[in-house]
Structures are given as C-alpha cells and as structure tokens.
Amino acid sequence: VINACVCVLDDPECSMVDLMEHISGPDFPTGGIIMGRSGIRSAYATGRGKVMVRAKTEFEEFGKDRMRIIVTELPYQVNKRQLIKKIAEQVKDKRLEGISDLRDETDRNGMRMVIELKKDANPQVVLNNLFKQTELQSSFGIIMLALVDDQKQPRILSLRQIIDEYLAFQMDVLTRRTQYDLKKAMERAHLLEGLLIAQDNIDEVIRIIRSAYDDAKERLCERFGLDDVQAQAILDMRLKALQGLDREKLQAEFDELQERIKYYNELLADPVKLQGVLREELIAIRDKFGDERKTEIQDIEDEIDIED
C-alpha cells in the first residue's frame, strides 16, 4: 500500500494498473489462497467486489497406497475447531464421503490439520467437496467505504480515490504537526531570548530580584524590554540556577531553534517540500514494518473480469 502511495506522490497521473503492481489484492493475516483476480479488479475499479479464499492444502502419502489431505492455512476468520466439528458431522451424516479420520496436529511449528482418506477415495474429488460444503473455501465481500469532504460524507471509492483521500489526510496531519512544532519552537526560542538577556545582565537582574518583591516582574520588563512570559521564566528560576546559566549552551539551543523555525516555515509555505517529507516518512514505515504477502493469489483459467 505504501509503495502505491509513493507511486501517486511521484506520478499524480499513475493509473490503476500501475497501482495494482504494488497492491495485487487483499492480504489476510491467516494466509490462504484468493481464487482469481476479477473480484479484486472489480473492487479496486468500482469500490465493490467479492473474493473467494481457499485454505492452503497439499496431498501426502501415508501407509500403503493411502492418501491424506494436509491443511496448513485457513481462510480468514474461520474457526479451526468449529471447522473440524462440522466436517466430522458431515462425515457422520454421509454428506461427505471418502474420509476415514480427521485430527488437528497444530503445534508451535505451525498449523497442520490432517484429513485421512479411505483407500478407494479420489483425493481431488474429496477436496473439491470439502471446498464446496465447508469453510475451507469462504467468500469475502469488499466495500471500499471512506469518509470524505473533511470526514463528513461516507462514499464508496475506487482504489485510486481512496489512496488520494489517504494522502490528503496524511498531508493535513503533517501540516498540523508542523504547525504545532513551529509554535513550540517559537515559544521556546522566545523564552531563551529572555534568558540570554538575563545572562548578559546577570548581576543587575539578581539585584532587581533581591531588592524588589511585589514589582520584580514589572521592573525586569521595564529595564530589559522583556515581556510577561520571559520575565516570569526568569523569576521562576532559583537564583543559584540563574547564576549557573551557561551562555554558550543557551546560544547553541537558540541558534538550533532558529534553524528549525526557518525549516518549519519553509515546509508550510511549500506543498512540494511537504510532500517530500511525507514520502520519506512513508518509506521509513515501509522499511520498518514491511513484510512478505501471506495470501497467495491464484489465476483461474477462462476468468472474465472487468479488465476484459
């Protein structure tokens, strides 16, 4: 998803085909196999679609001329215990044939559900019936619903539209965060400016504080041109701390804040620079949290989809 967002930031004209190179389809945490791409393309083009997800299975030989089906991944939200119970009930009611035993061998190494078949059973026929009659195959509806127009109106969006809305929201978040950082930096720089004045005139500042009790703030403001916030910050410090101020450290912090204030103002004045920051942050998130797909997408022969 982040690669698709970066694609839009780099090329505002990129098409849905370009986006689908990065977002091939839904990725479920439990894995499984999505059967076909038509539902995905429909969802991404129109905002609505449906995908069919199958369990990941394999055939395994055991005993003498016997086969069993090994299930290693289930469709999303399928309860394994309930699934085993339903399969067992259908076998008992003779709605599912060819199964001789069913058990759960899941351990710390991963999921493993074993379905042992009778000697004369056709493994593929049994598996097809399992897909047809149980939750080893499940369908998921996709509705790409989002709040738009400043979070006021719900709308069904295409893939490109929903990425545009997401990027617009992230730009708004970044703008407000930069405004907040700018405000805090300016407040701190303003306070440091007062402390630098106090440090340059430390003896007189201490004399005024010691000789005045009720009007020390007013006298500091009048004598050094400080405002209420700066004067109060000086008065809130203990005299020992005030005497111990390191001018070099104060000046270094003040200079650094001035550079940050300049940077924040440049960002807020230039949307292109702001987009560049957003791009870097998205890539950092991708590099930190990105992982491989869990859900496989399997093409189906002769499938007709919206692209056709």
Side-chain angles (χ1 to χ4, degrees):
V1 174
I2 288 179
N3 283 337
C5 291
V6 171
C7 177
V8 172
L9 288 173
D10 290 343
D11 179 14
E13 301 299 322
C14 71
S15 65
M16 196 181 84
V17 175
D18 297 326
L19 295 179
M20 284 194 66
E21 289 182 8
H22 304 293
I23 309 178
S24 53
D27 192 17
F28 299 101
T30 54
I33 304 171
I34 294 176
M35 305 304 295
R37 299 179 186 271
S38 62
I40 299 171
R41 290 197 179 105
S42 174
Y44 287 172
T46 67
R48 288 182 181 273
K50 185 170 73 172
V51 295
M52 192 69 69
V53 183
R54 281 184 176 179
K56 186 168 284 189
T57 61
E58 59 188 42
F59 297 128
E60 186 177 278
E61 291 187 13
F62 79 104
K64 186 178 180 181
D65 300 327
R66 297 279 298 278
M67 296 291 291
R68 57 189 174 193
I69 300 169
I70 308 298
V71 182
T72 55
E73 294 177 8
L74 290 175
Y76 185 52
Q77 293 182 330
V78 171
N79 184 292
K80 181 177 57 179
R81 180 180 293 180
Q82 291 296 322
L83 174 63
I84 291 173
K85 182 180 177 182
K86 288 179 182 177
I87 294 175
E89 288 173 353
Q90 292 197 38
V91 171
K92 184 179 178 181
D93 296 340
K94 299 188 183 302
R95 285 181 288 159
L96 274 173
E97 297 181 349
I99 297 174
S100 62
D101 192 19
L102 175 66
R103 63 183 178 274
D104 182 11
E105 294 184 354
T106 302
D107 58 19
R108 67 181 62 183
N109 296 319
M111 185 196 146
R112 179 180 168 92
M113 193 171 95
V114 179
I115 304 171
E116 292 187 357
L117 306 183
K118 294 178 180 178
K119 192 171 183 179
D120 59 345
N122 183 315
Q124 192 61 58
V125 171
V126 174
L127 182 59
N128 288 343
N129 286 330
L130 284 166
F131 286 144
K132 184 179 179 180
Q133 297 174 220
T134 74
E135 288 182 308
L136 281 180
Q137 178 171 288
S138 303
S139 62
F140 289 87
I142 300 173
I143 301 179
M144 309 244 296
L145 187 68
L147 289 171
V148 298
D149 297 335
D150 197 22
Q151 305 292 299
K152 294 176 183 176
Q153 180 187 2
R155 277 181 53 200
I156 294 175
L157 306 176
S158 68
L159 177 63
R160 175 56 197 264
Q161 289 170 329
I162 212 161
I163 287 177
D164 286 340
E165 289 293 332
Y166 172 76
L167 289 174
F169 174 74
Q170 289 300 324
M171 283 288 286
D172 182 52
V173 170
L174 182 56
T175 299
R176 287 187 281 114
R177 190 185 76 199
T178 304
Q179 290 169 341
Y180 176 82
D181 290 341
L182 173 62
K183 178 185 173 185
K184 288 297 181 183
M186 291 178 69
E187 288 174 355
R188 178 63 180 167
H190 181 65
L191 191 146
L192 285 174
E193 192 174 12
L195 292 179
L196 284 168
I197 293 172
Q199 209 281 333
D200 289 339
N201 302 274
I202 190 66
D203 293 333
E204 189 173 356
V205 168
I206 292 173
R207 182 182 60 77
I208 290 173
I209 294 172
R210 282 177 171 168
S211 63
Y213 179 74
D214 294 329
D215 61 345
K217 185 189 291 186
E218 290 76 10
R219 290 179 63 181
L220 286 172
C221 292
E222 182 180 341
R223 171 65 183 85
F224 300 110
L226 305 173
D227 65 13
D228 190 75
V229 173
Q230 292 170 321
Q232 188 62 51
I234 293 170
L235 292 173
D236 287 343
M237 296 182 70
R238 293 185 304 171
L239 288 178
K240 185 176 181 181
L242 194 59
Q243 287 177 308
L245 288 175
D246 187 331
R247 195 187 196 290
E248 288 187 5
K249 286 185 178 180
L250 290 175
Q251 187 65 51
E253 185 182 355
F254 180 78
D255 293 342
E256 181 188 354
L257 284 169
Q258 292 300 313
E259 289 296 318
R260 283 163 57 186
I261 289 168
K262 179 182 176 183
Y263 170 70
Y264 293 145
N265 280 318
E266 288 176 353
L267 272 187
L268 293 171
D270 190 345
V272 175
K273 283 188 177 180
L274 211 58
Q275 282 189 353
V277 172
L278 177 58
R279 184 182 188 279
E280 291 174 3
E281 291 184 355
L282 289 172
I283 290 173
I285 292 171
R286 179 198 66 190
D287 293 344
K288 184 175 181 180
F289 299 105
D291 55 8
E292 296 297 320
R293 280 187 64 87
K294 291 181 170 62
T295 303
E296 179 186 334
I297 301 175
Q298 193 173 102
D299 292 321
I300 298 177
E301 290 185 15
D302 302 324
E303 182 184 43
I304 303 298
D305 59 30
I306 195 167
E307 188 177 55
D308 298 326

